[in-house]
Amino acid sequence: MIELSVEAVEAITRHGAAGYPLECCGALIGQLTPTGDRRVHEAWPLTNAASATPERRFTVAPEDYRRAEARAAASGSTLVGFYHSHPDARARPSLEDLAHAWPNFDYIIVSVVRGQAEEISCWRLREDRSGFDREDMTWPIAS
C-alpha cells in the first residue's frame, strides 16, 4: 500500500496539467513503514530529460536522481519512487515504462486529458521484470 499526502497528490496533478501535452515527471519522497507500506509526503517535480518524443516518454536525468536522493536524505526520508503523466492516455504503464523501470520503486501515473488531470494509479515492477502490479493507493494523510 502507498499513502500520499493531499499535498503530494495536488502537486502531481498540478504538474501533470501544467506540463500538458508533454509528459511530466517527479520524485516521490517519504518513509517506508515497518509493514512495508510507503508514505509519501512530497512529490518533487523534476524536468523531463527525454530528448525524443517527450509527449510519450519521460527520462530522469542522473543528476536529478542524485538530487532527489539527497533531498530525501536531508529530511530523514527516502526516495520511494517516481511519478509521471500520460497525456491523453490512461494511467497505465506503457511498454516504454516497462523498459525503463527500476525495481523496488513505486510508479505513480496521472492521466491528463486535454490539459486536465484525471485518473491516478500506482504500480510496482515485478521482481522478474515481466510487468507491473497495481498497488493500492490512498491519500488521506496530511503532511
Side-chain angles (χ1 to χ4, degrees):
M1 162 100 59
I2 184 168
E3 298 178 16
L4 287 84
S5 68
V6 171
E7 294 84 0
V9 173
E10 289 172 351
I12 292 166
T13 57
R14 189 172 45 250
H15 191 196
Y20 182 86
L22 305 179
E23 284 197 12
C24 75
C25 62
L28 302 171
I29 297 172
Q31 278 80 36
L32 305 176
T33 70
T35 61
D37 292 337
R38 284 84 55 215
R39 300 190 80 192
V40 174
H41 58 79
E42 181 180 12
W44 191 46
L46 301 173
T47 299
N48 181 351
S51 59
T53 61
E55 65 279 356
R56 293 193 319 266
R57 293 187 168 85
F58 81 98
T59 300
V60 174
E63 61 272 13
D64 283 342
Y65 182 94
R66 287 189 295 274
R67 287 185 323 130
E69 281 195 326
R71 183 178 181 94
S75 67
S77 300
T78 190
L79 179 60
V80 173
F82 296 92
Y83 71 86
H84 70 282
S85 63
H86 278 186
D88 296 321
R90 296 182 68 200
R92 304 285 182 275
S94 66
L95 291 176
E96 185 74 17
D97 294 335
L98 180 60
H100 295 96
W102 297 316
N104 303 315
F105 280 125
D106 287 290
Y107 290 93
I108 292 181
I109 303 173
V110 58
S111 171
V112 180
V113 178
R114 292 186 294 280
Q116 297 295 314
E118 292 191 355
E119 178 188 14
I120 296 178
S121 62
C122 183
W123 305 85
R124 282 183 75 83
L125 184 65
R126 292 183 193 129
E127 285 188 34
D128 65 4
R129 299 188 55 87
S130 65
F132 290 92
D133 291 316
R134 189 168 187 156
E135 287 289 302
D136 290 330
M137 181 174 59
T138 62
W139 50 82
I141 65 171
S143 58

